[in-house]
Amino acid sequence: MKTEERGAWHELCCPPNKGTMKKTAERRFAMKEIEQDALRTAEDHFAESPSLEERVARIEARNRVEELLAHYARCVDAQDAQGVGAAFTEDGEMCNPGMPALKGRARITKLYGKLLPALRTSSHLIGAQQVLFASSERALVHAAFQAWDSYKADDALDCFSFGFYEVEAVREADGEWRMAALNINFAGQLEASADGRLRNGEGVNGRFCEQFARPWPPAPKE
């Protein structure tokens, strides 16, 4: 590419309106909220980032937080209780609406060590992540999930679950992001056998509608 062509390409890809670029880079991935019946982007720690380095740091931090949720889902489907526990801080919490919080990485690892061996196989999908950075070391996350679980017991029906994860993620001294709190809110559950048979002919709604009346931005420990 000739020098003049490179210059033209640079002007096309990097327009001189740096203020517009700055605003777009900062707000592109931020959490949304409603204020006076209008959609707006929630102001977070990086909302007024003055430098390119800080804006890049936000993107990198968001990627690490999303990777953390992907790690959690992968370890559940791999039936790796230690891997699940490693996604939490030492004093991390699992919180569920109307249920006492399970506190501590060791207790969370022990719980999954009991639950996961009952599964024949499973698949968890995560998407629609929204991230709000309370600081450069702490983020709040809201993400949708769908999960299919098939159990080893002959009389246990497969379960399809869907809902939302609320996560408080923190960056620890070693630079890794881990979950200080995970709150699982089920929008619904349906159980069925591999041949399509539904329990009692109707299926089973287990936990459902837990996403309603939740605080926004997310408060995973509530």
Side-chain angles (χ1 to χ4, degrees):
M1 184 181 290
K2 297 180 180 179
T3 302
E4 60 271 18
E5 291 176 338
R6 286 199 298 267
W9 181 253
H10 182 271
E11 289 181 4
L12 177 64
C13 297
C14 305
N17 189 346
K18 296 181 180 179
T20 300
M21 291 178 63
K22 173 178 180 293
K23 203 65 173 180
T24 301
E26 288 167 6
R27 301 172 70 84
R28 182 178 176 187
F29 303 113
M31 187 171 286
K32 306 298 182 182
E33 62 185 7
I34 302 298
E35 185 176 272
Q36 297 180 347
D37 297 328
L39 180 68
R40 66 182 293 272
T41 300
E43 299 292 339
D44 70 4
H45 171 75
F46 291 97
E48 299 300 331
S49 300
S51 68
L52 175 61
E53 289 77 10
E54 287 180 295
R55 298 199 299 275
V56 171
R58 185 193 197 286
I59 296 173
E60 291 181 341
R62 179 188 170 93
N63 287 342
R64 297 297 180 267
V65 170
E66 291 188 357
E67 290 165 2
L68 173 62
L69 269 67
H71 166 85
Y72 166 81
R74 180 184 66 81
C75 289
V76 170
D77 293 335
Q79 300 184 16
D80 179 2
Q82 292 294 328
V84 172
F88 289 82
T89 61
E90 186 175 353
D91 59 351
E93 301 182 18
M94 281 200 67
C95 311
N96 293 279
M99 301 173 64
L102 183 66
K103 298 183 179 182
R105 176 189 295 153
R107 294 183 65 191
I108 294 171
T109 301
K110 184 177 180 180
L111 172 66
Y112 277 86
K114 292 180 178 179
L115 296 177
L116 295 179
L119 291 172
R120 177 181 295 109
T121 187
S122 66
S123 177
H124 285 68
L125 301 176
I126 300 175
Q129 296 97 327
Q130 292 191 65
V131 182
L132 178 70
F133 286 94
S135 72
S136 61
E137 313 295 329
R138 177 175 173 267
L140 298 173
V141 187
H142 185 272
F145 77 86
Q146 294 185 355
W148 170 68
D149 299 316
S150 179
Y151 296 90
K152 294 177 181 177
D154 293 337
D155 59 347
L157 299 181
D158 294 355
C159 184
F160 178 60
S161 304
F162 40 94
F164 303 93
Y165 293 139
E166 296 178 6
V167 176
E168 179 183 344
V170 296
R171 179 159 47 192
E172 299 200 289
D174 62 356
E176 289 291 338
W177 286 85
R178 296 182 178 88
M179 290 188 283
L182 169 63
N183 196 318
I184 304 176
N185 296 278
F186 286 85
Q189 291 182 302
L190 179 68
E191 291 181 311
S193 65
D195 60 6
R197 173 176 52 87
L198 300 178
R199 181 172 292 174
N200 299 325
E202 298 179 354
V204 175
N205 281 323
R207 293 170 56 181
F208 60 94
C209 296
E210 295 175 351
Q211 77 274 27
F212 297 118
R214 293 293 300 158
W216 191 264
K221 294 183 179 180
E222 293 184 12

